[in-house]
Amino acid sequence: MKQNDPKQTASSDMQDSLHFALLVAHQLKSPVGAAGSLVKTLLGEYTGKLNPKQKDLLDRADKRIEEAINTVGRMLSIVHPATGKDDFGTSAEAVSVVRRSQLRYTQETSARGITITNDIRIEPAFVRIDQSILDEILNSLLNNAVKYTPDNGKISVTVKPVDGEEALCISIADSGIGVPENQREKVFAPFFRAETAQNTSVPGIGLGLAFVKALVDAAGGNIRVDQSNLGGAEFSVVVPLAAEAETPERDAADDGRMKVVIIGAVAAGPKVASKVIRLRPETRVTIIEKEPFLAYAGCGLPYYISGVVQEQKELMATPLGCVRDPIFFQNVKNVNVLNSTEALEIDRRNKKVLIKNLFTGATSWIDYDKLVLTTGAAPIIPNLPGTHLKNIFTLHGVRDAEGIKAHVSAGKARDVVIIGGGLIGVETTEALVECGCRVTIVEQLDQILGILDWEMARLVDHHMESKGVRVMCPTKALAVTGTEYVESVVTDDGPLPADMVILAVGVRPEVTLARNAGLKIGTTQAISVDRHMRTSDPDIYAAGDCVENVDIITKKPVYVPLGSTANKQGRVAAINICEGDETFPGVLGTTVCKVFDYCVARTGLTETEARQSGFDPVTVLTGSPDREHFMPNALILMLKLVVDRTTRRLLGVQAAGPGQGAKRIDIAATAIAAGMTIDQVANLDLGYAPPYSLAMDNLITGANIARNKLAGVFESISPIEAHHLIHNGDDIVLLDVSSPQEYETERLPGSMLIPSGALRGRINELPRDKTIIIFCRLSIRGYEAALMLKAAGFKQVRVMDGGVVMWPYEKVYGMK
């Protein structure tokens, strides 16, 4: 009797395993999809209203079903063609696949305190296996390791050559439940689960490892499980090495296609890459990023801390929910991403960049035809004693956000001191208060939010204090004290208890690479670029927070780091790299942020900046509802307009309040960029409907007030000027023409009340030899009352801008 050939038997067994996996995938596809449809029906509340807990549970179930459907899809796409192959694919670079697979679990491991370490002993490492198959193998093994590792546990991934063989070993070890020695062979059999796994609450049916073994066997490799030195299981996959020439990437390295290398992968970098590929799909684009995280929304980090954004991956996802990880960039964008890789040096003469793998420490050079620097900005660390202590963060990236969120969630951050009152500090405040923290902002300047003029910033200051935030300015932080962890912040106004400190004094452009390469640095210490985003080297472009901008109004260099600007500049750079002719006109510094229920925004120049730039500014403060007052959702919006007296051009607008400020700021930005005068703004044809706006929009009202001032028919006084007169003891009359109810609710100290409806009958109560500063809650009636007094012969009458609502000093409050 003829004996069976062992190779034929192994091949037959492998094919049987694959056919079995294919059968399972087909059998699972229909019922899992049906279950998903049922859950979505329930979530859509087509069968009745759901309470929040039911919605949460169904939403979790829906996500798990989506994962199952995706897994089935991958099984079908991998296994079906594999059943008819002998070589089971081409080749892949294993180390990059390992890192991409590991990145998928960053959020879960961070949240659970699990540490993942790498030991890469060979790089690059090309193996004879299709990339998608290797990705599925590693994803399954890492998923198991994460599932069965307890919180605060450890996982290690090792990639090394096999001694004496043309093979590579990838090992994944964990500190989890392990696999009993007598069950280590059986664990790869279909439907078998080790006793240790059965005794946990982790769901499973015992098909995952059987599928993995089938894929490994088909690739001509082998897999085994042992006890790891971490105490749990260690799965080792051995697959045959492939010659580097077998990889399409290496073959194409010198194929004549343009090579674009981008350093930085948060905002501008990914935009450059995507646009270049759209314009010239054949381009070889490589992104180098020091951090493991790519293309995340940095401005969303405060909302991740507060829980408004529940999952970290949402900050790195497209609007359709695809996470922008290296796999996404490779498969969707055809862009190669080297994350956790640092660019060390630029060799401009030979057009190459020295890079360092931060996992292994290995260095290598990468060639470029065009180089793009999108290195961003770095947080400024104040020179204070004690900043080395633990529990001190900057909120500059995902790592800091995770650290802050972890401490807040664990109740370890009851008292938080934020050093710096700029955008980062203010935006973080709400997130911390929402988490139950007591927050103090320490700002050494005389106001928070330097993007605003003093009186507007003071209105925001008052609002924050009404929410329980202590704002100390001008107050200087002198030191941070503690032993191992921070315990207090010492200021020139006394010590403050602190369980956590956030350093938010600002950022500076990251230009080390550019400076060392001899590129021109601008007066703002950011990289100097022309309107095409080219640096002083015509083959090197730069965009985003590392570059110097031009102010559209003053034409002077400015440094305004914003994500919106970074994306626009990235697009311009990409078009010009592809031989287009696109220019970036400059910036207006348009900024908007959320401060509790206030919208705070600005565009163009502040009054202070306008004076410094040589303009003669006329200003307007106006507060009014953001839509018709009779609508139940009407909210107050406070605006400040800055106008050039000579040219009548609108120079800047600031907004604060719970009303819809972003809309008005965007209109203003458009008008300023177009060089419109206040007369043109006053006649803009804006949309009107009571639920959305006023018949005379807030911005148009402000423009008309400015026209009246320029015409001399509106004699006004600013709150700052009025307060100065009061402080100096000038003999003036503060006349409030509000209603008695409004006056009782909120009024200025030392003011007298004569309601506007009673003013004609009581006009003789007012002295004719004193300056009368007249106002109401919003100063609309104040203007009408001033005209009435002037008609009656009063000479010294001035209307206070903004009324009681926009008074930035102390007020008297009664019953509401």
Side-chain angles (χ1 to χ4, degrees):
M1 183 174 177
K2 186 177 180 182
Q3 291 185 340
N4 291 330
D5 186 337
K7 290 185 179 180
Q8 290 181 350
T9 302
S11 176
S12 176
D13 289 344
M14 180 267 287
Q15 290 295 325
D16 287 344
S17 296
L18 290 174
H19 279 298
F20 174 75
L22 183 61
L23 177 64
V24 170
H26 274 296
Q27 292 299 314
L28 287 174
K29 186 177 182 182
S30 179
V32 171
S37 298
L38 291 173
V39 169
K40 290 185 186 298
T41 300
L42 293 172
L43 273 173
E45 297 187 327
Y46 298 109
T47 60
K49 198 75 175 174
L50 299 172
N51 62 43
K53 187 173 182 179
Q54 290 170 329
K55 276 190 174 181
D56 179 59
L57 291 172
L58 286 170
D59 186 58
R60 292 186 197 179
D62 185 49
K63 289 179 180 177
R64 291 299 184 188
I65 290 172
E66 285 293 332
E67 290 176 10
I69 291 173
N70 291 336
T71 300
V72 169
R74 289 197 303 270
M75 289 173 69
L76 289 172
S77 64
I78 289 171
V79 178
H80 196 281
T83 55
K85 290 183 179 180
D86 292 328
D87 59 358
F88 207 63
T90 55
S91 57
E93 201 288 289
V95 177
S96 61
V97 178
V98 166
R99 290 181 177 140
R100 287 196 294 266
S101 298
Q102 182 180 322
L103 190 65
R104 292 193 184 101
Y105 298 94
T106 300
Q107 180 177 334
E108 184 176 351
T109 54
S110 297
R112 293 175 53 197
I114 297 174
T115 302
I116 301 186
T117 59
N118 287 306
D119 182 7
I120 311 293
R121 303 180 191 177
I122 177 174
E123 188 174 9
F126 298 95
V127 291
R128 194 184 300 278
I129 185 171
D130 189 82
Q131 179 173 299
S132 62
I133 296 171
L134 180 60
D135 186 68
E136 187 65 32
I137 291 168
L138 295 177
N139 181 61
S140 295
L141 294 178
L142 274 170
N143 183 52
N144 268 1
V146 173
K147 282 196 303 185
Y148 292 113
T149 297
D151 292 355
N152 302 310
K154 295 181 179 179
I155 297 173
S156 67
V157 182
T158 303
V159 181
K160 62 182 180 181
V162 179
D163 293 339
E165 297 183 36
E166 289 295 315
L168 183 77
C169 178
I170 304 173
S171 299
I172 298 175
D174 61 60
S175 61
I177 59 175
V179 179
E181 187 174 0
N182 62 348
Q183 298 179 2
R184 290 175 188 166
E185 288 297 326
K186 299 177 183 178
V187 80
F188 296 106
F191 301 109
F192 180 85
R193 295 190 76 201
E195 293 175 0
T196 47
Q198 293 179 42
N199 294 331
T200 69
S201 60
V202 177
I205 58 174
L207 281 177
L209 290 175
F211 180 54
V212 167
K213 188 175 189 306
L215 294 177
V216 174
D217 288 347
N222 61 75
I223 182 171
R224 71 178 188 275
V225 60
D226 300 292
Q227 182 175 351
S228 79
N229 56 9
L230 299 177
E234 180 174 4
F235 285 86
S236 299
V237 175
V238 176
V239 288
L241 284 169
E244 294 186 19
E246 294 182 36
T247 61
E249 291 88 350
R250 287 301 171 109
D251 286 342
D254 297 311
D255 60 2
R257 292 186 290 164
M258 181 170 67
K259 296 185 288 292
V260 176
V261 174
I262 302 164
I263 303 175
V266 176
K271 174 57 71 175
V272 174
S274 298
K275 187 63 178 176
V276 167
I277 290 298
R278 291 189 190 111
L279 293 173
R280 291 195 172 181
E282 74 281 2
T283 306
R284 293 177 51 78
V285 179
T286 302
I287 299 178
I288 300 165
E289 171 54 47
K290 186 176 180 180
E291 296 296 325
F293 309 102
L294 311 172
Y296 62 86
C299 296
L301 293 176
Y303 307 104
Y304 175 59
I305 292 171
S306 68
V308 171
V309 177
Q310 295 186 354
E311 296 186 40
Q312 184 192 100
K313 68 179 181 181
E314 294 178 45
L315 299 175
M316 294 176 271
T318 67
L320 297 178
C322 298
V323 176
R324 288 177 287 226
D325 58 12
I327 297 174
F328 169 84
F329 278 101
Q330 183 66 62
N331 294 342
V332 178
K333 302 292 186 179
N334 194 27
V335 172
N336 182 36
V337 175
L338 302 177
N339 59 325
S340 298
T341 302
E342 182 177 8
L344 302 176
E345 179 187 340
I346 300 170
D347 181 349
R348 290 169 54 194
R349 179 184 294 274
N350 296 302
K351 301 180 75 171
K352 59 184 182 179
V353 178
L354 179 64
I355 60 176
K356 177 181 179 181
N357 184 302
L358 297 181
F359 287 114
T360 66
T363 59
S364 59
W365 290 93
I366 182 170
D367 297 332
Y368 69 84
D369 296 309
K370 300 293 180 183
L371 178 64
V372 188
L373 301 179
T374 60
T375 47
I380 297 172
I381 307 299
N383 187 22
L384 298 175
T387 53
H388 65 282
L389 295 170
K390 294 181 179 178
N391 287 11
I392 297 180
F393 302 94
T394 61
L395 192 53
H396 190 77
V398 177
R399 293 182 189 275
D400 270 333
E402 286 290 357
I404 294 170
K405 188 178 180 72
H407 281 80
V408 170
S409 300
K412 298 177 181 178
R414 185 61 178 164
D415 289 296
V416 181
V417 174
I418 299 176
I419 300 177
L423 276 175
I424 295 174
V426 169
E427 287 182 323
T428 309
T429 301
E430 180 183 356
L432 295 170
V433 171
E434 290 291 324
C435 294
C437 302
R438 291 187 293 256
V439 182
T440 300
I441 295 179
V442 176
E443 171 57 60
Q444 67 177 354
L445 301 178
D446 63 353
Q447 70 173 79
I448 60 172
L449 289 174
I451 61 171
L452 305 176
D453 280 318
W454 182 87
E455 70 271 39
M456 295 296 288
R458 188 64 178 158
L459 296 174
V460 181
D461 186 332
H462 289 325
H463 184 61
M464 295 180 73
E465 289 178 337
S466 74
K467 300 295 183 179
V469 179
R470 184 182 182 190
V471 180
M472 299 175 65
C473 59
T475 301
K476 187 175 183 179
L478 303 176
V480 182
T481 66
T483 50
E484 182 181 2
Y485 293 87
V486 63
E487 296 174 8
S488 71
V489 175
V490 180
T491 75
D492 57 6
D493 198 24
L496 300 170
D499 304 309
M500 184 167 71
V501 171
I502 296 177
L503 304 176
V505 297
V507 298
R508 60 168 59 96
E510 180 48 74
V511 298
T512 305
L513 271 175
R515 191 187 300 277
N516 292 343
L519 298 177
K520 182 180 178 181
I521 304 299
T523 58
T524 64
Q525 299 307 303
I527 300 172
S528 178
V529 293
D530 63 14
R531 287 165 59 88
H532 293 83
M533 307 311 299
R534 276 190 296 257
T535 68
S536 52
D537 184 322
D539 290 320
I540 301 179
Y541 292 73
D545 291 358
C546 62
V547 307
E548 182 173 84
N549 292 300
V550 173
D551 186 283
I552 290 175
I553 300 173
T554 66
K555 309 303 180 185
K556 296 178 181 178
V558 290
Y559 179 63
V560 185
L562 291 170
S564 54
T565 301
N567 276 275
K568 287 179 283 189
Q569 290 177 337
R571 186 179 189 275
V572 170
I575 291 173
N576 293 317
I577 286 171
C578 297
E579 299 183 354
D581 185 19
E582 188 85 358
T583 60
F584 184 72
V587 299
L588 290 171
T590 306
T591 309
V592 61
C593 69
K594 182 177 181 292
V595 184
F596 295 95
D597 54 350
Y598 262 29
C599 170
V600 178
R602 66 78 61 92
T603 187
L605 303 179
T606 63
E607 179 183 2
T608 303
E609 291 166 344
R611 292 189 190 282
Q612 292 171 345
S613 299
F615 293 99
D616 181 12
V618 175
T619 63
V620 171
L621 295 178
T622 175
S624 58
D626 62 346
R627 63 205 78 192
E628 294 294 4
H629 67 277
F630 49 78
M631 297 304 297
N633 57 345
L635 298 168
I636 288 293
L637 178 64
M638 298 171 284
L639 297 179
K640 178 172 182 176
L641 280 67
V642 181
V643 180
D644 179 38
R645 188 185 301 275
T646 304
T647 63
R648 303 175 72 90
R649 275 186 63 192
L650 180 64
L651 298 178
V653 177
Q654 298 161 57
Q660 293 291 326
K663 168 186 173 181
R664 277 76 189 191
I665 290 297
D666 286 343
I667 296 169
T670 305
I672 295 169
M676 295 176 69
T677 66
I678 207 69
D679 309 285
Q680 292 170 311
V681 172
N683 288 295
L684 285 173
D685 188 13
L686 304 180
Y688 166 62
Y692 302 111
S693 60
L694 298 163
M696 293 285 279
D697 187 81
N698 309 66
L699 193 60
I700 289 176
T701 297
N704 281 325
I705 294 173
R707 296 170 80 190
N708 289 338
K709 285 189 174 187
L710 290 170
V713 298
F714 183 89
E715 294 184 44
S716 66
I717 185 170
S718 72
I720 294 176
E721 292 171 323
H723 185 265
H724 181 72
L725 294 178
I726 296 169
H727 186 73
N728 285 348
D730 287 30
D731 194 9
I732 61 174
V733 175
L734 292 175
L735 177 59
D736 192 335
V737 294
S738 303
S739 69
Q741 182 180 3
E742 290 172 323
Y743 186 80
E744 181 62 29
T745 301
E746 183 181 38
R747 63 182 180 273
L748 306 191
S751 61
M752 67 177 294
L753 173 69
I754 301 179
S756 59
L759 185 58
R760 291 187 187 277
R762 298 175 57 185
I763 204 165
N764 291 327
E765 296 179 22
L766 297 171
R768 293 178 177 270
D769 59 345
K770 295 182 180 181
T771 297
I772 299 175
I773 299 176
I774 191 167
F775 54 90
C776 64
R777 185 168 184 267
L778 302 175
S779 277
I780 297 173
R781 287 163 289 175
Y783 175 53
E784 296 169 346
L787 295 177
M788 190 186 304
L789 292 182
K790 284 190 174 184
F794 286 79
K795 303 296 184 183
Q796 303 178 61
V797 179
R798 302 180 72 180
V799 181
M800 190 174 72
D801 269 355
V804 176
V805 167
M806 298 189 71
W807 178 257
Y809 304 97
E810 181 182 356
K811 289 188 271 192
V812 177
Y813 297 95
M815 298 294 294
K816 290 190 178 181

